[in-house]
Amino acid sequence: MLLRLLRATKEGPFESTVAVLADKGPVVREMEDLGVAVYSLGIPRGRISPIGAVRFLALVRRLRPALIQTWLYHADLVGVLLARPLGVRRVLWNLRSSYPDDAHLSGLTALVRRLCARLSPLPHAVVANSWAGMQSHRALGYRPRRWVVIPNGVDTERFRPDPGARGRLMEALGVKEGEVVLVGYVARFIPVKDHATFLEAASRVLRVREDIHFVLAGRGITWSNAFFARTIAPEFRARFHLLGETRHIEDVTPGLDIACSASLQEGFPNTVCEAMACGVPCVVTDVGDSCRIVGETGFVVPPASPEAMASAILRMAHMPRQERAALGERARRRAMERFEMSKVAKMYTRLYHEVLEGTAWRVGIG
């Protein structure tokens, strides 16, 4: 999201400089290609580094920024503790998750989050990318002076309807042309994405209809993963396509007929918004901001319910193609109206202006 924001604001009124806690990676190189100065503090992952703190202090002292926005818990803690003593009073935090407990966090990250909750009145404002994220952090004890909700943005040029994508995807999958329905789930293989429920729902669907194929993509989504080899029944394997981590997911998503999210927890699910931008209607679990994002352009089901997920997929698959396409068109319009990246970038720019000018402003999605 930070990279998308930098792209969308590079011609704007603010000059951005980025400090990364760890070493530079591929995303940093893309930032540098935009002309953004990026500095590495060299803090090893999962460790506390006094040297990194000294580097940050030296960088802030040299640049004298008017405003510092930190992203994620460790940076939030570093920013609020070290920037203020140097006279940088305008510090914004940015929350990107909605996990209500520490189960999905390392021990150090859980500790840092608890410290951030205690220090949350110090930053000028706390930005959350979802209403669910704001509410879960309130429950954790966050009490900032001001909450601001700014959703993630989607690049609607990169993710857009492509009439030829379905044919290319079917050819790549080895699926013969015909009246088949392609159902996708894009998510890395971690427990919170609940692939077990999705596969059970898919199996229920395949017992009813033989013309549906399931396309799954994400890190760890391969046949070499014993979970999939063990869970998917042999008689159904020909109708499951496991793509693994796919760099150009924008070539896959517009080729789907239906996109799904089976998550147990979410903040702002990017893949749902990307599918909508491609004109693909969605079936999602009622977690995080998923229902708020989809609105009336898709179906929402309870989490951890393979029966409900299967029923919703079948209901959407039974729609005439033209009716499903019309639903996808409405989804595309909704994504462009509410989550298009240039509009989200304007929300951030306006926030920066008003924080620097000392006026109040709130942003949200309906």
Side-chain angles (χ1 to χ4, degrees):
M1 175 57 194
L2 177 57
L3 177 60
R4 298 199 298 272
L5 181 60
L6 291 170
R7 284 199 188 106
T9 57
K10 65 179 180 178
E11 305 298 335
F14 297 104
E15 179 183 352
S16 297
T17 299
V18 176
V20 295
L21 298 185
D23 293 330
K24 296 182 180 182
V27 175
V28 167
R29 287 192 286 273
E30 292 188 61
M31 293 178 183
E32 291 175 328
D33 289 342
L34 295 173
V36 176
V38 183
Y39 299 87
S40 172
L41 302 182
I43 300 176
R45 292 185 181 278
R47 293 176 58 186
I48 297 173
S49 171
I51 294 176
V54 170
R55 289 171 181 156
F56 179 75
L57 286 169
L59 181 62
V60 173
R61 188 177 288 114
R62 178 161 61 87
L63 296 177
R64 293 292 178 185
L67 181 151
I68 291 178
Q69 177 162 19
T70 55
W71 293 63
L72 306 179
Y73 302 125
H74 295 79
D76 291 345
L77 183 62
V78 170
V80 80
L81 289 180
L82 301 185
R84 290 173 62 87
L86 294 177
V88 182
R89 298 294 178 181
R90 295 176 177 88
V91 176
L92 303 176
W93 283 0
N94 205 310
L95 303 176
R96 316 302 300 171
S97 74
S98 65
Y99 295 145
D101 52 47
D102 296 340
H104 302 285
L105 305 177
S106 69
L108 178 60
T109 300
L111 173 61
V112 168
R113 185 165 73 166
R114 288 194 290 272
L115 288 173
C116 285
R118 289 181 175 272
L119 297 173
S120 59
L122 296 180
H124 197 90
V126 175
V127 179
N129 71 339
S130 65
W131 291 98
M134 181 184 70
Q135 291 161 0
S136 68
H137 284 83
R138 273 180 172 166
L140 290 166
Y142 274 66
R143 295 294 183 268
R145 287 182 278 171
R146 179 178 169 200
W147 282 107
V148 181
V149 177
I150 302 180
N152 286 356
V154 62
D155 184 343
T156 55
E157 284 300 308
R158 181 185 174 201
F159 291 94
R160 60 181 179 179
D162 180 352
R166 189 172 187 275
R168 293 192 300 271
L169 179 59
M170 291 179 66
E171 182 179 2
L173 298 177
V175 178
K176 294 182 180 180
E177 284 286 352
E179 289 300 317
V180 300
V181 178
L182 300 180
V183 178
Y185 185 23
V186 178
R188 57 186 169 143
F189 184 69
I190 56 175
V192 75
K193 299 301 182 181
D194 198 9
H195 284 87
T197 287
F198 183 74
L199 294 185
E200 173 59 26
S203 297
R204 290 170 180 256
V205 168
L206 292 175
R207 294 187 190 105
V208 177
R209 289 186 58 158
E210 298 181 352
D211 61 338
I212 294 179
H213 285 250
F214 290 90
V215 182
L216 289 79
R219 189 184 310 160
I221 311 299
T222 65
W223 287 111
S224 62
N225 184 331
F227 169 82
F228 293 99
R230 181 178 66 251
T231 305
I232 299 174
E235 63 268 26
F236 293 148
R237 288 182 186 175
R239 281 179 276 163
F240 281 91
H241 308 272
L242 311 185
L243 306 184
E245 190 168 11
T246 305
R247 180 171 176 78
H248 296 289
I249 198 65
E250 69 273 16
D251 295 331
V252 175
T253 302
L256 301 173
D257 295 300
I258 301 168
C260 296
S261 173
S263 292
L264 296 172
Q265 293 177 355
E266 280 289 356
F268 186 102
N270 288 319
T271 58
V272 171
C273 201
E274 290 164 358
M276 292 170 61
C278 291
V280 180
C282 299
V283 174
V284 302
T285 48
D286 191 7
V287 295
D289 278 14
S290 294
C291 180
R292 189 185 295 268
I293 293 167
V294 169
E296 296 181 355
T297 71
F299 298 154
V300 181
V301 301
S305 174
E307 301 90 343
M309 175 69 69
S311 177
I313 292 172
L314 284 169
R315 180 182 166 196
M316 195 171 282
H318 285 324
M319 288 182 173
R321 184 173 295 276
Q322 296 86 347
E323 184 178 345
R324 199 165 54 237
L327 195 61
E329 289 173 4
R330 288 166 51 197
R332 164 78 176 175
R333 286 196 300 272
R334 185 176 177 87
M336 293 190 70
E337 290 170 359
R338 294 170 177 250
F339 312 115
E340 199 275 324
M341 190 61 231
S342 67
K343 295 181 179 180
V344 171
K346 288 178 181 177
M347 295 178 186
Y348 274 101
T349 299
R350 186 177 171 189
L351 173 62
Y352 299 158
H353 273 300
E354 299 199 6
V355 166
L356 293 171
E357 294 166 4
T359 58
W361 179 67
R362 299 182 70 86
V363 169
I365 56 175

